[in-house]
Amino acid sequence: MTYWETDDNSQIYYELYDRHQTSQTLLLLPGLLGTVGSQWRIFVEHLAPRYRLLLVDLPGHGLSDTADSAFVPDQIVQDIIGLMNHLKIETTHVGGYDMGGYLGLMLHLYEPKRVESIFMHATKFYWSKSSAEGIKEQLEPDSIQLKAPAFADRLALEHGGSRWRSLVRQAADFVSYLAENGLTERSAASAQCPVMVSVGDRDELVPVQEAFRLSRTLPYGSLLVIPRASHPFKTVDGSLLLTAMLNHQQGNWTI
């Protein structure tokens, strides 16, 4: 297991695959309450021959531990930058699911020259107070335990039985933060790398209309609507997602 220690003594877990000494790096970021093991690792065998792969568990998620610092997107992006510096990664492509795509876009806006392209799937960009409140109501540990025990068991397995409850509360606060301090269309309009906005046609969190709006806001944005897919990562046709990601990062926007 490989870890990198941040300035505040948090331990960030990452996996680096550099089997073929390839020149291009692909950073894969999981979603909120997700892990690299449950979301991105299944693609390693297909992607490793083409890229140096960097998979990262978000702070407090999976095998990453976190100190007492606030769980806010700006700090997470700074941690990602610190890890890239530690590994001497100058530039990277980014693939992000859910909040991972949001963080990938933030990374590009913070350090434009370091991100070559972004593939963001099922990423909710537009957060209002009402939408944030709706998600916060769902992110209540006791309610999850009562109404979705299988989900609670999975969270305990992936993040630790002693901390999944606090992580869920942090995730709720994270969503509220985005509603008040998140990215705006004005900031997104300054992005200067190709960004593919991917969404399932049945996504219950990210309407296709929102994904279309974001793709048109981004100067080099494109839209992919995946059939028969809802928001959970497991509902997406993996081969279709993989093909789209590879085509996008190679500059070919057709599947």
Side-chain angles (χ1 to χ4, degrees), residues 19-194:
R19 301 172 183 170
H20 303 280
Q21 300 296 310
T22 55
S23 59
Q24 291 189 314
T25 299
L26 172 58
L27 167 65
L28 295 174
L29 298 173
L32 198 61
L33 300 180
T35 67
V36 295
S38 64
Q39 293 172 356
W40 285 117
R41 195 179 292 138
I42 59 173
F43 295 114
V44 166
E45 291 302 318
H46 301 282
L47 293 170
R50 301 169 182 262
Y51 299 98
R52 173 174 52 175
L53 291 179
L54 175 59
L55 285 66
V56 182
D57 272 342
L58 303 181
H61 289 61
L63 296 175
S64 287
D65 200 357
T66 183
D68 295 329
S69 59
F71 183 66
V72 293
D74 304 82
Q75 184 58 55
I76 296 172
V77 172
Q78 290 302 323
D79 289 344
I80 294 171
I81 292 171
L83 177 59
M84 289 177 61
N85 291 340
H86 170 71
L87 297 173
K88 296 181 172 57
I89 295 174
E90 295 298 324
T91 62
T92 186
H93 299 276
V94 178
Y97 162 66
D98 184 71
M99 196 53 60
Y102 196 103
L103 295 170
L105 181 57
M106 287 185 66
L107 175 62
H108 170 63
L109 295 175
Y110 279 24
E111 298 204 359
K113 294 182 179 180
R114 301 192 72 171
V115 176
E116 298 182 63
S117 73
I118 304 169
F119 184 95
M120 53 198 312
H121 176 70
T123 295
K124 188 168 181 62
F125 181 85
Y126 299 98
W127 287 99
S128 64
K129 288 186 177 181
S130 61
S131 62
E133 284 300 320
I135 296 298
K136 284 191 68 175
E137 290 178 3
Q138 299 176 38
L139 294 176
E140 206 293 310
D142 290 338
S143 178
I144 292 175
Q145 186 76 69
L146 179 64
K147 299 179 180 179
F151 182 43
D153 290 344
R154 182 170 68 80
L155 290 173
L157 179 64
E158 293 182 0
H159 306 293
S162 62
R163 68 172 183 173
W164 76 268
R165 289 174 170 272
S166 61
L167 180 61
V168 166
R169 294 189 183 98
Q170 283 183 312
D173 292 339
F174 187 95
V175 169
S176 294
Y177 181 92
L178 291 182
E180 297 181 4
N181 305 287
L183 297 175
T184 65
E185 283 194 338
R186 182 176 180 179
S187 58
S190 65
Q192 292 300 306
C193 74

Side-chain angles (χ1 to χ4, degrees), residues 87 93 97-98 119 141 165 195 199 202 222 236 240 242-243:
L87 297 173
H93 299 276
Y97 162 66
D98 184 71
F119 184 95
R165 289 174 170 272
V195 182
V199 67
R202 304 175 188 183
S222 54
V236 180
L240 180 58
L242 179 66
T243 301

